[in-house]
Amino acid sequence: MFWITNIKTDSNWLSKSLEGLRKDGYAILEGVLEKDFLEQTEEAMYKVQKKIIQDISLDRLERAGELGVLRIMARYDSFFLKYLEIREMLEIVDHTVSSTAVLHLQNGFILPSFPVEKTPLIFQNIFHMDFPRYLNGYLASINVFFAISPFTKENGATLFVPGSHQKLERPSEDYIQSNTQYAECNSGSLFLFDSTLYHAAGKNISGKDRLSINHQFTRSFFKQQIDYVRALETDVILSQEPRTQQLLGWYTRVPTNLKDYYQSPEERLYRKGQG
Ligand SMILES: O=C(O)CCC(=O)C(=O)O
Ligand SMILES: [Fe+2]
């Protein structure tokens, strides 16, 4: 069974995706993002890419051995915080890592095209888990990956191994080779997966960039990869929806002094029930 459905035509999209996630470690939902939102995203991603290159330099980015990864995009353009308001994504988060979950990371990808057989082998395109810990089947982390470009075999649609999630051992290379699937889908789709699922970027040989945005959400007591509360301006965080603040880690801050520690419950930096 290939778990793919369209939220516009399937009123059972949520239960189906949760079933896919549990049984095979993934589900694909089409029809989540509208055309104008996709266009805004594309424009904003290229602008952020320029700013990151200015900030960090191409040389340093190349030395990091990544392919078109845009980290902390929201620091360069708060437009990307709008993703944290997408209803379908929030419903999925609520039903998996809970309504108190935090954003572990939000990364954009402008995956470049290479001539056939010329794609460098790096972390992104070697099979891996994004949450490399097996906790006796406990679901600690999920990924929500948006296809901003259509995802095709030619442009490097994410590859994944169905059923490889929540396993103590890495599957053999033979098993990976013979069971790999492509997350082929229309632009505006969401590829949901258990972060212990083995996956990798495909090879883009289409001649055009493949754009996408990955989100990883964890239970609130895992450390974020990026401390978004410190990465973003406080004003920007305070002007967000309470749920966005929650996801950014506003209610899971760690006190540094006794005044903060002894705050009244509603003013505390770390709120009760963050489990
Ligand atoms: O770009 C993709 O399709 C996957 C990238 C990935 O898995 C990662 O960067 O962790
Ligand atoms: Fe990954």
Side-chain angles (χ1 to χ4, degrees):
M1 162 118 195
F2 193 79
W3 299 93
I4 184 162
T5 192
N6 190 308
I7 61 151
K8 299 228 165 67
T9 50
D10 184 355
S11 58
N12 291 325
W13 64 265
L14 182 61
S15 55
K16 273 195 197 151
S17 4
L18 297 174
E19 195 183 347
L21 186 69
R22 201 175 58 249
K23 288 192 175 150
D24 289 325
Y26 80 96
I28 296 174
L29 291 178
E30 296 199 299
V32 182
L33 306 179
E34 301 299 335
K35 198 164 170 277
D36 55 339
F37 192 69
L38 288 169
E39 285 168 3
Q40 280 180 54
T41 301
E42 183 166 338
E43 200 185 316
M45 284 177 75
Y46 279 107
K47 281 196 184 144
V48 165
Q49 186 181 42
K50 275 205 185 117
K51 289 186 188 165
I52 292 179
I53 292 171
Q54 271 170 13
D55 235 12
I56 305 299
S57 88
L58 206 51
D59 180 51
R60 211 157 154 190
L61 288 166
E62 276 170 5
R63 267 187 285 139
E66 297 180 338
L67 286 180
V69 186
L70 309 178
R71 299 181 184 273
I72 330 184
M73 293 189 293
R75 187 180 165 99
Y76 299 91
D77 188 345
S78 60
F79 166 78
F80 292 99
L81 296 178
K82 294 217 179 313
Y83 273 82
L84 303 179
E85 296 175 14
I86 294 169
R87 193 176 53 85
E88 292 79 12
M89 180 161 84
L90 295 176
E91 285 196 48
I92 291 167
V93 169
D94 287 348
H95 286 85
T96 51
V97 283
S98 102
S99 59
T100 61
V102 290
L103 178 71
H104 185 69
L105 60 82
Q106 181 194 54
N107 285 346
F109 292 94
I110 302 185
L111 187 72
S113 174
F114 287 94
V116 181
E117 303 305 331
K118 289 278 190 274
T119 306
L121 268 192
I122 49 158
F123 175 81
Q124 277 157 264
N125 55 25
I126 295 173
F127 279 91
H128 63 272
M129 302 185 261
D130 280 0
F131 187 89
R133 280 169 191 86
Y134 173 65
L135 305 174
N136 291 321
Y138 177 71
L139 183 63
S141 176
I142 62 161
N143 284 65
V144 177
F145 213 105
F146 286 100
I148 308 304
S149 311
F151 269 24
T152 66
K153 284 184 182 156
E154 254 217 320
N155 76 359
T158 309
L159 302 168
F160 65 99
V161 186
S164 61
H165 63 305
Q166 301 294 349
K167 299 277 185 301
L168 194 52
E169 306 271 348
R170 184 184 172 94
S172 68
E173 284 316 303
D174 270 0
Y175 187 89
I176 292 179
Q177 287 299 321
S178 43
N179 290 280
T180 292
Q181 301 264 7
Y182 285 88
E184 281 185 285
C185 55
N186 293 321
S187 56
S189 306
L190 166 173
F191 173 40
L192 162 70
F193 58 97
D194 183 315
S195 312
T196 61
L197 186 83
Y198 282 87
H199 66 280
K203 291 189 173 141
N204 183 0
I205 52 161
S206 68
K208 283 198 238 151
D209 294 336
R210 186 218 68 181
L211 272 59
S212 59
I213 299 186
N214 182 27
H215 297 83
Q216 187 177 345
F217 297 99
T218 68
R219 307 263 180 189
S220 65
F221 43 88
F222 289 95
K223 224 183 185 91
Q224 294 164 288
Q225 185 189 67
I226 301 295
D227 183 340
Y228 286 98
V229 167
R230 287 164 65 216
L232 306 177
E233 301 284 342
T234 305
D235 288 358
V236 172
I237 298 177
L238 291 178
S239 64
Q240 303 301 315
E241 300 280 336
R243 181 63 188 273
T244 301
Q245 298 171 339
Q246 164 82 53
L247 290 167
L248 294 172
W250 190 251
Y251 298 122
T252 45
R253 286 168 295 164
V254 177
T256 55
N257 59 60
L258 295 183
K259 257 202 196 135
D260 283 347
Y261 187 87
Y262 289 114
Q263 286 279 18
S264 60
E266 58 285 358
E267 296 296 325
R268 278 187 197 146
L269 306 186
Y270 200 109
R271 294 207 174 158
K272 255 197 169 153
Q274 303 294 326

